[in-house]
Structure formats: structure tokens, C-alpha cells
Amino acid sequence: MIEIAIDGTAASGKGTLGKKLSDKYSFPYLDTGLLYRKVAHELIKDNKINTTKLEQTSCDFAMILNFKELKNTNLRTEDVAKLASKIATFPNLRKILNNKQKEFNNSSKKKFGGCILDGRDIGTTILPNADFKFYITASLEIRAKRRLLEKNISFLHENDEKCMLQALMNNMRERDRLDSNRKISPLIPAKDAYVIDTTSINPEELLLKVADIIERKK
Ligand code: CDP
């Protein structure tokens, strides 16, 4: 039974690493940020952002959340990410989503002998006894450039691209600040995590580094 926990800052390469590890070891992979994004997306869709009962409404959506609905590409927008980070400070919402992550973990381990989760509090809260913990980060500018590339917008004028990059950097800086400073499950490396800066390495090099650590300890 192998548990792999991946945490880190926004757009640091956690997701790409999670997917590559999942392909390599055939363990199911869960991007836990999608759970928060899904709840945020439902709030926006149903025009519930300004409700005075935002925490309760978020919990109501979380209770009926279905893992099959996490593939929706609308979950990837910056507006959704911003609201996800806001509601991720709600203790009751975190409780519900934590239970869903633990269920995923248990069923994956039973069926496939392992699991890979990425997020902000995996190594500290969700899988505190994980066999391998990685904390992935990179410079803010590189992370924003990667996210811009992911959005695949090739028709932008140079100035528009600069503006968009700046806006992305501002959003990410604010999200990292909120994630790192919240009282419950803040974004911090677990004491026993391998901290890896991906500013000057590509996804293949990151995979090699991580797989080497896993193979040496397995
Ligand atoms: O993809 P990116 O790294 O930009 O963000 P994400 O992993 O999709 O997470 C979106 C937001 O959900 C984060 O900014 C966190 O506020 C929240 N989140 C969290 O609090 N705990 C997790 N385990 C995963 C995400």
C-alpha cells in the first residue's frame, strides 16, 4: 500500500506530476483542488456568491458532490479558483471534502494498492502518514507563465499577453497568501516532505527526480 501526497503553490506543477506518477505506478490520482473548484463553480452557476449563508450553501453543494462531475473544463477558470480559495477557509466545508478525499484514498488503496493526491494539506492533514510527501513550488512569474500557456491563447497581442500575465500573477499571489495564512489546514510543507523548486526544471525532469526518491526508498 503506497500513499503519495503532493502539495504546493498554485500552478507549481503538482497536477502534471500527479498524472505522470499515476501513469507510471498505476495508482488512481485525485486533484483535490477540483473538489473546492466544483463547489465554487456551483455557487457561481446558481448565483449564490452573495448569500449571507455562504458556508452553509457551500456545504450543501459539497454533500451532493459527485466525483464524475470533476472533468468539467469550466472548473479551470481564474474566477472559480479565486472563489475556491475563499470558501476553502470554511471549516465545515473542509470537513465534508476531507471525508470525500479519505473515502477515495481507502477505496484506491483497497483496489489498486496505492493512491496519489495533490492539494494544499495532503501531507499535513489528509494523509499524515503518507509514504512519500512532496512539496512543489516555483517562482511566481514562471507559474503564471505556465498557467497562461495552459490556457492556450495564441492570438493575443504582446501587450494583452503582458496584462494577462500580470493579472494571473496578482491572482496567484493573493491565492497563495490566503492559502498560507488561513487558520485551518494552511499551505505549509509537511515536516517530512521533500521540497522541490521547479523554476528551472521541466515536468520530465521533475518526474525523474521524484521517481528516483520513490525507487530508492521503496
Ligand atoms: O491548480 P491550482 O494549483 O491553481 O489550484 P487548485 O489545486 O485547483 O486549488 C484551488 C484552491 O482550492 C486553492 O487555491 C486552495 O484554496 C483550495 N484547496 C485547498 O484549500 N485544499 C486542497 N487540498 C486543495 C485545494
Side-chain angles (χ1 to χ4, degrees):
M1 300 274 198
I2 294 186
E3 290 179 350
I4 303 177
I6 308 172
D7 289 299
T9 46
S12 56
K14 309 180 297 294
T16 310
L17 175 63
K19 279 182 220 138
K20 284 182 182 287
L21 286 175
S22 172
D23 288 344
K24 186 171 171 66
Y25 294 109
S26 303
F27 297 148
Y29 157 65
L30 177 64
D31 171 353
T32 65
L34 285 179
L35 304 177
Y36 292 88
R37 284 176 181 260
K38 174 69 184 165
V39 174
H41 183 255
E42 292 300 303
L43 290 166
I44 294 172
K45 192 164 64 86
D46 281 14
N47 209 4
K48 295 271 169 56
I49 311 170
N50 295 317
T51 169
T52 48
K53 294 180 183 162
L54 191 61
E55 180 162 14
Q56 184 54 52
T57 314
S58 303
C59 291
D60 294 344
F61 283 129
M63 296 286 273
I64 53 167
L65 186 150
N66 182 338
F67 274 57
K68 288 186 187 131
E69 295 167 350
L70 299 178
K71 294 215 165 92
N72 185 341
T73 49
N74 293 336
L75 302 186
R76 293 280 173 201
T77 69
E78 288 309 303
D79 284 350
V80 168
K82 212 169 161 181
L83 184 60
S85 191
K86 180 177 172 181
I87 60 173
T89 59
F90 296 152
N92 291 327
L93 175 66
R94 295 202 76 88
K95 258 187 224 156
I96 298 169
L97 295 183
N98 286 2
N99 284 336
K100 293 205 179 266
Q101 292 166 58
K102 283 176 188 157
E103 276 166 27
F104 173 88
N105 173 38
N106 290 337
S107 75
S108 302
K109 281 200 303 186
K110 241 185 243 157
K111 273 196 209 151
F112 300 94
C115 67
I116 303 162
L117 271 69
D118 97 48
R120 300 295 187 285
D121 60 344
I122 310 301
T124 52
T125 307
I126 306 292
L127 304 176
N129 300 316
D131 304 271
F132 298 97
K133 297 182 186 178
F134 299 98
Y135 184 93
I136 312 297
T137 191
S139 77
L140 181 64
E141 189 175 347
I142 282 287
R143 290 188 282 128
K145 281 186 175 158
R146 287 180 190 154
R147 185 88 350 141
L148 197 59
L149 276 176
E150 270 172 28
K151 293 187 185 293
N152 206 7
I153 305 169
S154 50
F155 51 83
L156 281 182
H157 184 273
E158 196 183 330
N159 281 344
D160 293 337
E161 193 173 309
K162 271 190 196 146
C163 274
M164 212 163 163
L165 188 66
Q166 199 54 52
L168 271 173
M169 283 171 70
N170 292 342
N171 283 352
M172 278 183 194
R173 188 185 296 110
E174 177 53 19
R175 209 142 57 83
D176 289 344
R177 191 192 63 75
L178 206 62
D179 291 346
S180 308
N181 291 303
R182 68 181 172 225
K183 286 205 182 92
I184 297 184
S185 300
L187 168 66
I188 37 164
K191 284 196 183 73
D192 48 349
Y194 293 91
V195 178
I196 304 177
D197 189 317
T198 67
T199 304
S200 45
I201 60 173
N202 65 35
E204 283 69 35
E205 289 167 323
L206 176 62
L207 176 67
L208 281 179
K209 222 178 178 47
V210 166
D212 184 51
I213 292 171
I214 294 176
E215 297 302 327
R216 272 193 280 131
K217 230 182 112 184
K218 226 169 44 169

